[in-house]
Amino acid sequence: MPTRQNLYKRIVIVFGSTLLLLWIIVPSFWAFKTSLSPHEEAWKPLPSRMTLDHYISLFSPTYEAILRGQGLRATIPDPMIIYISNSFIVSLVASILGVFFGSLAGYSLARFNYPGKRFVVWLVLFAYVFPVFTLMVPITLIIRAIGLYNSLIGLALVHLAYTLPYSTLMMRSYFYGIPVSLEEAALIDGCTRFEALWRIVVPVAVPGFVTAFIFSFTLSWNDLLFALILLNTSKYYTLPIATTFFLFGGEIVDPGGLAATAIFAGIVPAVIYMFVQKYVVVGLIKGAVKM
Amino acid sequence: MKRRLKDSMYRWFYVLPTVVLVFFIFIVPIIYEVWLSFQAKPVGGEPVFAGLYNYQRLLSSETFYKTVANTIIYSFSSVFVKALIGLGAALLLNEKFWGRGFLRGFSILPWAFPSFVCAVLFWFNYDYRGTFNTLLKALGLQPVHWLSYNNAMLSVVILNIWHGWPFFFMGYLAGLQAIPVDLYEAADIDGATALQKFRHITLPMLKPVILTVVLLSLMWTMGEFTQIYMTTGGGPIDATLTIPIQTYKIAFQTEVNMPLAAAYSILVLPIYLALIYFTLRQMGE
């Protein structure tokens, strides 16, 4: 028998859920719909038929699609796959390096005590919250000076500024959660420190690595600023820069192509996130928030 | 004894690459930037030492104060609303009901989208023929120029809110789940109302999470570059010119003046350092 309070609660839940769904769906709807609409119907609220042309065009642009883009897109008629692969390369390098060095440091910070450890923790925390954009001038000049200007590797190294502090903090809190007794048992059984780490700790820490990797990957995948200032040739451009090709004087010149690019660039991280949602939450909150 | 010595070497060996990298990515550039900020670059010439020239120039320009004000308006209003929406969503999805699991996963979607993807989504929303104006027309209202001088700030704030609120939601939800159920049961026995339980149990228990999440988000929002750059580019005129955009413009677009941009960064750094200080203190290290 529902009491009056339960009834109120139900109304609030139904109303709140609907509102929440609308708030998420409405702003993302138009781009999604446009990416599936024929070109003539880009600005119609509902298309009369659906097409995958814009997505196929990402990988091999049709002549019409190139002509349609009167902006930069027309002068740089590379298939988007080039920019997609550039983004993949940069994000992979930045996140693999970040997670590798970050988990080494995280392990050391979680397990050992030594003079200077507090300083290292502060340094990493400082780097985690530091607004990197304030360093765009010196970083550009340094990258130019060491000859890594306009190269994907140079960009990936700078992206370590995002991925490394995050991975370190994330892995530190993850290693905290793994009982020391596991390793001690292995040490007593005759393993060396390294063997204990490799055989016992690493397998248990896989979800931690996955979270750190995914989050690092998206941090690098998201970056527009450093791609803008460190890359100079269109063949090295990453996806965020490439999306601006679809604009000309603030006008969208090829809505379908643009929408397909954005949905493609967004759906990759979004799908991964939904799958590992639990890990991401634990990782972020534990890595960032001490509770 | 031998093992102990080896161990102490490992400890350093493990953190060393990270310390070195952080040193070269953060500390060296900061020092270099301070040095750079005392230089001046004559048109077409090499930079020369110029003392506080850049700082004087910046402090006497109206644009400097405008960018600081814009950044504060942008980040504070955005974080405030994100915190409210996040709290509402977390309270809602902490209740048990059919479809909760799906809704929890789905709520992360905006945040899982990269910033530049969100910016593109909102190009379609803010376009004169786009989502928002279509909705306004359907409701019988006048369409709006979303990115005009008067509306641009509101538009970039809405975009930032839409993208960033799930971070608050996730933080709060994790915090809510950590509150012991018996606190609520005891309150029930004492006959507390829902509002009283919220005020005297939920809020105080959530306080540390709220503070940390707000501070982190404030830092990130004050550093937001992509969304503003891709929607308004800091314009029209200076309506949405925030600190990150202005740094970029001075260094690479309007002035192409590296020393001036360096001085600008150093000048605004205290604002960020103050926040960093509170954030680190809150994070309890």
Side-chain angles (χ1 to χ4, degrees):
Chain A
M1 174 108 176
T3 61
R4 173 169 282 200
Q5 208 178 0
N6 273 338
L7 186 70
Y8 285 147
K9 208 172 191 176
R10 280 216 181 147
I11 295 173
V12 169
I13 285 174
V14 170
F15 183 72
S17 307
T18 316
L19 215 63
L20 193 62
L21 273 175
L22 284 176
W23 163 239
I24 300 167
I25 291 173
V26 168
S28 40
F29 170 73
W30 202 282
F32 182 67
K33 167 227 81 175
T34 304
S35 75
L36 294 170
S37 307
H39 178 68
E40 322 76 70
E41 299 184 354
W43 294 108
K44 266 173 71 175
L46 282 172
S48 57
R49 65 185 175 87
M50 304 241 246
T51 167
L52 282 176
D53 285 354
H54 301 301
Y55 287 95
I56 297 165
S57 195
L58 291 181
F59 301 95
S60 57
T62 58
Y63 185 62
E64 291 78 28
I66 294 170
L67 280 187
R68 239 184 353 250
Q70 299 145 5
L72 259 173
R73 185 81 189 94
T75 54
I76 308 169
D78 302 323
M80 293 302 286
I81 185 73
I82 292 183
Y83 313 120
I84 295 170
S85 19
N86 286 343
S87 267
F88 258 106
I89 293 169
V90 170
S91 306
L92 271 181
V93 174
S95 46
I96 288 174
L97 286 180
V99 171
F100 180 72
F101 292 124
S103 40
L104 282 181
Y107 180 76
S108 164
L109 293 176
R111 280 290 184 269
F112 307 127
N113 268 315
Y114 43 86
K117 176 176 148 174
R118 233 183 122 67
F119 171 75
V120 177
V121 174
W122 270 101
L123 196 68
V124 174
L125 271 171
F126 174 78
Y128 178 64
V129 292
F130 191 83
V132 198
F133 80 86
T134 56
L135 301 178
M136 63 175 105
V137 169
I139 284 180
T140 308
L141 295 179
I142 291 170
I143 287 286
R144 277 184 194 169
I146 58 176
L148 287 175
Y149 183 69
N150 198 23
S151 77
L152 296 180
I153 290 297
L155 183 61
L157 283 180
V158 172
H159 282 183
L160 276 178
Y162 302 130
T163 61
L164 184 65
Y166 171 76
S167 298
T168 307
L169 290 177
M170 163 72 215
M171 291 316 292
R172 181 182 68 138
S173 72
Y174 204 87
F175 285 128
Y176 268 140
I178 300 173
V180 193
S181 50
L182 273 180
E183 286 164 80
E184 277 166 356
L187 287 176
I188 289 164
D189 288 347
C191 281
T192 63
R193 256 284 173 210
F194 185 75
E195 278 173 343
L197 181 64
W198 186 246
R199 289 207 193 149
I200 310 293
V201 182
V202 169
V204 183
V206 165
F209 291 122
V210 172
T211 316
F213 177 80
I214 289 170
F215 200 69
S216 301
F217 188 90
T218 51
L219 283 176
S220 169
W221 185 263
N222 283 349
D223 171 73
L224 170 72
L225 175 63
F226 284 103
L228 267 183
I229 62 182
L230 295 180
L231 301 174
N232 200 17
T233 331
S234 77
K235 67 171 177 171
Y236 290 135
Y237 282 169
T238 53
L239 257 182
I241 307 185
T243 51
T244 62
F245 291 169
F246 291 94
L247 279 195
F248 190 74
E251 284 289 308
I252 302 172
V253 283
D254 178 9
L258 170 67
T261 310
I263 298 295
F264 180 87
I267 220 79
V268 176
V271 167
I272 304 175
Y273 265 96
M274 298 240 187
F275 276 113
V276 297
Q277 191 217 131
K278 265 191 192 138
Y279 294 135
V280 172
V281 177
V282 172
L284 256 186
I285 302 313
K286 271 197 185 162
V289 183
K290 201 172 174 188
M291 292 200 304
Chain B
M1 189 64 207
K2 200 176 158 199
R3 169 164 282 164
R4 196 168 281 172
L5 191 72
K6 254 186 159 173
D7 273 1
S8 73
M9 272 177 62
Y10 271 132
R11 291 161 197 187
W12 270 105
F13 179 69
Y14 288 155
V15 280
L16 201 63
T18 298
V19 171
V20 170
L21 282 167
V22 168
F23 187 74
F24 277 104
I25 298 175
F26 292 93
I27 310 299
V28 171
I30 293 176
I31 296 166
Y32 183 35
E33 185 154 68
V34 172
W35 180 79
L36 210 63
S37 71
F38 295 117
Q39 312 268 312
K41 187 181 159 293
V43 179
E46 285 298 300
V48 289
F49 183 80
L52 293 172
Y53 170 75
N54 288 323
Y55 290 98
Q56 279 168 347
R57 224 187 112 183
L58 286 169
L59 284 172
S60 59
S61 82
E62 260 173 54
T63 320
F64 172 76
Y65 301 100
K66 177 77 178 171
T67 57
V68 173
N70 275 347
T71 310
I72 289 171
I73 294 169
Y74 173 72
S75 47
F76 278 72
S77 56
S78 171
V79 167
F80 181 71
V81 180
K82 281 190 273 194
L84 285 185
I85 297 178
L87 186 61
L91 288 172
L92 177 73
L93 294 181
N94 198 36
E95 298 293 331
K96 276 206 181 82
F97 60 91
W98 184 84
R100 178 180 80 165
F102 165 78
L103 214 52
R104 274 187 187 173
F106 194 65
S107 292
I108 300 186
L109 189 73
W111 194 73
F113 280 146
S115 262
F116 74 95
V117 170
C118 290
V120 173
L121 296 183
F122 275 73
W123 282 348
F124 287 99
N125 296 338
Y126 290 146
D127 194 284
Y128 200 71
R129 301 154 289 181
T131 321
F132 291 165
N133 281 349
T134 306
L135 284 177
L136 285 179
K137 276 189 216 156
L139 293 171
L141 298 168
Q142 284 296 313
V144 170
H145 286 282
W146 289 95
L147 298 177
S148 65
Y149 188 82
N150 289 327
N151 299 328
M153 180 55 94
L154 177 68
S155 297
V156 288
V157 167
I158 293 175
L159 162 58
N160 190 269
I161 292 169
W162 189 79
H163 183 212
W165 71 271
F167 176 66
F168 289 81
F169 158 70
M170 290 188 292
Y172 294 164
L173 192 63
L176 285 175
Q177 286 166 353
I179 301 176
V181 189
D182 25 321
L183 283 179
Y184 292 106
E185 282 164 0
D188 278 336
I189 292 167
D190 292 344
T193 64
L195 198 68
Q196 282 171 329
K197 280 188 277 186
F198 177 73
R199 257 199 67 192
H200 297 291
I201 304 173
T202 313
L203 267 190
M205 295 292 282
L206 267 187
K207 203 178 146 203
V209 184
I210 295 179
L211 263 176
T212 317
V213 174
V214 163
L215 282 169
L216 276 175
S217 176
L218 210 50
M219 292 274 344
W220 292 333
T221 311
M222 285 180 86
E224 179 58 48
F225 174 82
T226 309
Q227 290 169 12
I228 301 180
Y229 179 82
M230 286 186 75
T231 44
T232 66
I237 316 174
D238 54 9
T240 55
L241 198 64
T242 56
I243 292 169
I245 302 287
Q246 178 68 348
T247 317
Y248 175 79
K249 285 199 155 179
I250 296 178
F252 302 98
Q253 258 184 357
T254 49
E255 305 235 8
V256 200
N257 189 335
M258 298 281 194
L260 187 66
Y264 182 76
S265 289
I266 297 298
L267 206 53
V268 295
L269 205 52
I271 303 173
Y272 291 91
L273 287 177
L275 258 179
I276 291 178
Y277 173 76
F278 288 120
T279 312
L280 291 191
R281 237 182 50 170
Q282 181 57 32
M283 285 166 82
E285 295 291 341

